[in-house]
Amino acid sequence: MAAGVGALALAWAAGTARAGLPAYTLVGGFDLPTGTASYDVLPDGTVLALAGRTIYRQVSVEGGFVEAGRLPEGAVASYGASFLRVSPDGLHAAAGNNLLGSAARVHTFDVAGLSPGVDAEIRSFAADNTDAQWADNDTLFVTGTPGASSVVTRIETAGPGSSAVVVSNIGGSAGGIVTRGGYLFTGNGFDFAPGGSDVGEVRAFALDAIDALTPGTSIDFEASGVAVADALSGAALAFDALGNLLVGGGDIFGGSGDFGSLAVVDGDALVAALGGGGPVPDAFELRLTPLDAGYSYFARVNPATSRVYVTWFDNTTFAAGDRVLVYEVPAPGAAALLLAAAGSAGRRRRGRGS
């Protein structure tokens, strides 16, 4: 294990991976509103969902939904938003309009200001949008594919707001994105071109290096970053409460045959990868197949219960399911909580990576 990995482990905020992967247990499920394009979990454990331009809120954890409000007419594509993401404090949310080129926008709105049947007041930022992750309550990172390669755009929502590309030249279509422990993780979601990163390759970038960028410059994905994992199509990245990386999607057309499951990448091995040990080997991955291998799977983590929520996409009919499957994950023990506290004490400005 490379020098400095112990310090990285202490900074692995909000939990630490156990030695070995946990025994995920499928314990139930709940239905999303019909036609939900994307959803996210609020700090209280309930879900906010977006179907068309209508926003729904769950009335209780893993319960039913009621209408909470709506986005203005034309705010998202007729076939649905690219993503819905809630800020860590639950006060703000962001939706990608799922359009291309000059029409690509990300809209932010206040969750508390929602009212049934009323258009939410939105702020709009230019950004190609496929997936997104709030790094803190004012900073949103968004993946998108403006052309032959993909990018990550940072949107600052405080004050007048701003958007700027901070990671460029992802050699394919955009994958998922997540932040944790002072790093941004994003992947190559679809790539036929020879050379460079492969489909499903996930690389990590230090948030401090992104903060230090000169305006107008960006970090080259293919030339920089730390390769930490290679699974499926690197989509819908998330971390469970133990620090294990969840990777969704599937390399359906790329020839690798890597699809039909949800990957859980061991967090201890991931820390070693961050220290220069190379991408986590397949032997340190758990594969969940709740239905069958004909589906691609995507995960969210409930911050209140630590349960993992899994949705799916039918690779044959190209239709998404409206049901969420719920997995129980063993809670971290006392030693893990002490490590989490140590990591939290040393968090960087604005609590990024939580």
Side-chain angles (χ1 to χ4, degrees):
M1 192 173 290
V5 170
L8 282 171
L10 285 175
W12 210 236
T16 183
R18 294 177 173 182
L21 289 158
Y24 276 60
T25 304
L26 184 60
V27 294
F30 60 88
D31 292 321
L32 293 167
T34 300
T36 294
S38 187
Y39 75 97
D40 205 2
V41 190
L42 293 155
D44 67 359
T46 61
V47 164
L48 203 67
L50 181 59
R53 66 186 184 100
T54 304
I55 304 164
Y56 296 90
R57 185 162 186 169
Q58 208 169 28
V59 296
S60 62
V61 176
E62 296 172 18
F65 288 81
V66 296
E67 182 180 339
R70 65 189 187 194
L71 297 178
E73 185 75 37
V76 297
S78 59
Y79 40 86
S82 55
F83 63 79
L84 176 70
R85 295 290 179 270
V86 177
S87 62
D89 60 10
L91 299 181
H92 315 291
N97 71 352
N98 217 0
L99 297 175
L100 301 174
S102 61
R105 293 287 185 277
V106 171
H107 310 298
T108 62
F109 57 91
D110 292 337
V111 174
L114 294 172
S115 181
V118 178
D119 288 356
E121 183 176 341
I122 62 174
R123 297 181 69 192
S124 296
F125 300 88
D128 293 280
N129 52 91
T130 299
D131 200 1
Q133 166 77 27
W134 291 89
D136 55 54
N137 296 318
D138 301 316
T139 306
L140 181 74
F141 286 101
V142 182
T143 63
T145 306
S149 62
S150 300
V151 301
V152 175
T153 300
R154 180 174 60 188
I155 296 175
E156 298 288 358
T157 62
S162 63
S163 65
V165 171
V166 292
V167 178
S168 59
N169 193 34
I170 303 172
S173 294
I177 189 165
V178 68
T179 59
R180 188 180 179 96
Y183 287 90
L184 179 148
F185 301 82
T186 192
N188 183 344
F190 183 79
D191 183 14
F192 278 149
S197 59
D198 295 325
V199 177
E201 183 169 317
V202 178
R203 295 190 182 188
F205 300 85
L207 288 170
D208 284 337
I210 293 174
D211 285 342
L213 285 170
T214 302
T217 65
S218 60
I219 298 172
D220 188 310
F221 179 93
E222 298 295 338
S224 305
V226 180
V228 295
D230 191 344
L232 301 160
S233 60
L237 304 179
F239 280 98
D240 71 12
L242 302 178
N244 302 305
L245 176 65
L246 308 174
V247 185
D251 185 13
I252 303 170
F253 307 108
S256 71
D258 192 9
F259 62 86
S261 63
L262 178 75
V264 185
V265 180
D266 182 77
D268 289 329
L270 195 68
V271 171
L274 283 169
V280 176
D282 292 347
F284 290 85
E285 294 179 10
L286 171 71
R287 292 299 181 107
L288 304 177
T289 307
L291 299 176
D292 62 43
Y295 297 91
S296 291
Y297 298 97
F298 307 90
R300 295 278 178 270
V301 176
N302 189 317
T305 67
S306 297
R307 287 182 161 186
V308 172
Y309 291 169
V310 178
T311 54
W312 67 90
F313 179 83
D314 190 317
N315 295 332
T316 301
T317 66
F318 303 108
D322 286 327
R323 187 161 179 80
V324 176
L325 303 176
V326 179
Y327 278 88
E328 191 76 63
V329 186
L337 293 176
L338 288 173
L339 285 174
S344 297
R347 282 186 184 177
R348 62 200 303 282
R349 179 177 60 87
R350 294 191 295 181
R352 281 186 176 165
S354 60

